[in-house]
Amino acid sequence: MSDSRVLVVGTTPDYFAHIHERYPGQALFLTDLAHGAGLSENGSAPSDEVVCHLADNEDALNRLQAHLAKTNQSLSGVACYDCEWLALAASLAQRFSLPYPSVESVQLSRDKFLTKKRWAECDVRCPKATLVYSGRQAIRLFEQFDGSVVLKPLTGSGSELTFHCHEKADLVKAYLAIKDGLQSRQQSPLYASGAGHSGGPVVDQPVLAEEFISGREYSADFIIADDTVSVIRVAKKLRGDALPFGTTVAYVVPAKLPAGITSGMLSKRLRKTAKALGLSRAICMVDFVVNENELIFLELTPRIGGDCLPSLVRHSCGFDTIGLALDFARGGKVMVPSTELSKEHIGMRLLSARGGVLEEVNTNGLSGDLRVKETCLRFARGHEISVPPDDYDSWVLGHVIFESQTDVRHREQCAAMSQKICISVDYYNDQKLAWFQNASRRVDQSRYPIG
């Protein structure tokens, strides 16, 4: 009898452990050599994992086929939780005739310019965007975007190498900083997956310029299937004024949208954003801004939200979005819980202020706080921290999830919680964040206070 599994493409050790513990025998993990060596040590059987060069599609396919033949396993679906491997997941799903977003839809969603171009063609409200090929050309953007411009790579994730520029000199610096960042990331699959824009190396790709959209920013997970949309969760993003542009310091779930944004309106717009990219059956995560009751969409990717969001949703309403992705991949009917059953929780990210060597993250001050539901520390003593724009992962030291006090502003709750945590770092003698912070702060923040 065949052993049917969902193929999980490119997962990391934390997701591997979660799925292996909560859904034993349901997944076959296709992992990269960079992670795979440590995954099998977590108690998995040889039949649970295929380790390969994920960047080599042919190697991944050959090893997967050999594994399936050897173990008499079959695939019931495909799931992927990481942006850099979405294209591989789509290619493998197509090869095994399994339901998944098409390769073309994944490519559209991974290229931020092509996304906005298609959205504009389909009358989806999004920032105006253009491509920049030189620092000199970047200077001329001020007239086009009313003196407030966002520069970012075509691909990537989150706020990585993203700059908000208010002066012409900052435009040139930001353009060069992005180019330098891409040069150091040429081997990163997060960027290589989008190199198809002109078929050349990542560093030779143009830079994306967008108009800056002010307002409250949110993210959402939703399912589109059978031409209908089911919203899984909506999170409000909390920003830090003194941090690089786009940095999320905390999420609030469930988010309370402005009174002018109804659930029906949101679902209708989400459906339109997905359909415009050719997505008819998918789990999607989308970022959007609300400005004067208008929804402006920023990015969409066909996967569930990551970071601390899966844990935050579990604590808020008991719903596991990681398991949801497995059920959806198998073609099962997924029931999304009502937000009325959710309790407001905050997921606060722990960020290092400077680069250096981690000495300690002391969370003893949280021990007596009954609101705290989870504390996650990603790194041990001795971890080397690099800060943006050099690195956007090593400075994120973990997160704390706590139940919100509905009568206290979210910003104030995070500030009070931060006072109970001591992060000790043997700092390097540098000022790498100084210009980056100054050039990346949002304008008009006072019009949209956090909390």
Side-chain angles (χ1 to χ4, degrees):
M1 183 176 179
S2 176
D3 179 7
S4 183
R5 305 282 186 108
V6 173
L7 181 68
V8 178
V9 180
T11 194
T12 49
D14 53 340
Y15 278 60
F16 182 99
H18 178 84
I19 295 171
H20 183 67
E21 178 182 346
R22 298 191 62 162
Y23 309 99
Q26 297 188 30
L28 172 62
F29 299 91
L30 188 67
T31 54
D32 192 61
L33 283 170
H35 295 303
L39 295 187
S40 294
E41 297 176 1
N42 289 333
S44 65
S47 60
D48 288 343
E49 183 182 15
V50 178
V51 181
C52 62
H53 294 279
L54 288 179
D56 184 340
N57 284 22
E58 185 176 350
D59 179 60
L61 176 60
N62 289 340
R63 290 181 184 246
L64 176 59
Q65 288 177 320
H67 175 89
L68 294 174
K70 179 180 178 181
T71 61
N72 194 34
Q73 290 179 347
S74 63
L75 300 180
S76 58
V78 176
C80 183
Y81 302 94
D82 302 290
C83 285
E84 54 264 49
W85 306 121
L86 288 171
L88 173 60
S91 177
L92 291 173
Q94 181 176 300
R95 173 65 179 78
F96 288 93
S97 301
L98 295 167
Y100 197 80
S102 68
V103 173
E104 294 74 19
S105 292
V106 169
Q107 290 174 340
L108 273 176
S109 67
R110 293 290 296 125
D111 189 309
K112 298 174 185 179
F113 177 71
L114 294 181
T115 294
K116 292 176 177 63
K117 181 180 178 182
R118 181 61 61 87
W119 278 348
E121 293 170 350
C122 296
D123 197 30
V124 174
R125 178 70 170 95
C126 63
K128 294 183 294 184
T130 190
L131 297 177
V132 181
Y133 294 86
S134 69
R136 180 171 297 180
Q137 181 189 1
I139 296 177
R140 297 196 290 270
L141 293 172
F142 257 55
E143 290 72 26
Q144 183 175 351
F145 294 119
D146 299 324
S148 186
V149 185
V150 175
L151 293 185
K152 62 178 68 171
L154 288 177
T155 56
S157 181
S159 62
E160 190 157 345
L161 294 175
T162 299
F163 297 82
H164 182 199
C165 304
H166 310 282
E167 300 177 6
K168 291 184 177 181
D170 286 339
L171 281 167
V172 177
K173 291 179 181 179
Y175 177 85
L176 295 176
I178 292 171
K179 284 297 185 178
D180 287 345
L182 292 176
Q183 179 69 43
S184 66
R185 291 164 171 80
Q186 289 194 80
Q187 302 305 315
S188 170
L190 187 61
Y191 291 88
S193 61
H197 190 84
S198 65
V202 174
V203 71
D204 293 336
Q205 303 304 311
V207 169
L208 178 65
E210 296 179 356
E211 66 171 323
F212 170 72
I213 304 293
S214 61
R216 286 195 182 278
E217 189 169 339
Y218 300 84
S219 75
D221 287 343
F222 68 95
I223 295 172
I224 180 168
D226 300 325
D227 214 33
T228 61
V229 163
S230 300
V231 178
I232 301 168
R233 59 88 191 166
V234 179
K236 182 173 74 171
K237 295 185 177 183
L238 306 186
R239 302 297 195 186
D241 293 343
L243 292 174
F245 175 71
T247 300
T248 299
V249 297
Y251 299 92
V252 181
V253 171
K256 296 178 181 177
L257 293 171
I261 306 296
T262 66
S263 58
M265 178 192 300
L266 178 61
S267 295
K268 184 178 179 180
R269 301 289 175 81
L270 291 177
R271 177 182 177 276
K272 194 172 184 179
T273 63
K275 298 284 281 187
L277 300 181
L279 297 166
S280 57
R281 185 186 184 279
I283 295 178
C284 302
M285 186 211 52
V286 65
D287 293 322
F288 61 94
V289 170
V290 177
N291 184 325
E292 297 180 355
N293 290 331
E294 182 180 23
L295 292 165
I296 303 101
F297 291 93
L298 304 178
E299 296 178 14
L300 181 149
T301 185
R303 63 167 177 83
I304 65 164
D307 202 354
C308 65
L309 283 166
S311 292
L312 182 57
V313 173
R314 284 198 300 273
H315 286 288
S316 175
C317 65
F319 191 65
D320 185 12
T321 57
I322 296 175
L324 163 74
L326 297 179
D327 290 338
F328 187 77
R330 282 190 291 262
K333 187 172 181 60
V334 178
M335 300 299 293
V336 176
S338 169
T339 56
E340 295 178 358
L341 303 176
S342 302
K343 291 185 178 180
E344 186 176 272
H345 282 67
I346 298 174
M348 185 179 71
R349 306 169 81 207
L350 304 180
L351 306 173
S352 176
R354 292 275 301 276
V357 178
L358 181 64
E359 291 289 330
E360 181 186 27
V361 180
N362 190 324
T363 60
N364 292 338
L366 303 176
S367 59
D369 194 329
L370 298 180
R371 294 176 301 148
V372 176
K373 306 302 180 184
E374 176 180 304
T375 301
C376 174
L377 302 180
R378 300 178 62 211
F379 304 111
R381 175 186 175 92
H383 164 67
E384 289 197 21
I385 301 169
S386 294
V387 297
D390 291 344
D391 190 285
Y392 287 76
D393 180 66
S394 68
W395 79 317
V396 183
L397 305 181
H399 65 255
V400 175
I401 294 175
F402 57 96
E403 189 170 346
S404 176
Q405 297 171 281
T406 56
D407 58 339
V408 181
R409 289 164 59 91
H410 299 133
R411 182 194 289 269
E412 294 174 5
Q413 292 186 61
C414 289
M417 197 64 68
S418 297
Q419 293 297 315
K420 301 180 180 183
I421 303 168
C422 180
I423 299 175
S424 301
V425 177
D426 183 9
Y427 292 131
Y428 294 138
N429 185 23
D430 59 40
Q431 296 293 330
K432 289 181 180 178
L433 276 179
W435 172 79
F436 191 85
Q437 291 171 342
N438 292 333
S440 301
R441 290 175 179 168
R442 286 177 176 266
V443 296
D444 295 333
Q445 189 71 38
S446 60
R447 293 178 55 199
Y448 302 93
I450 295 173

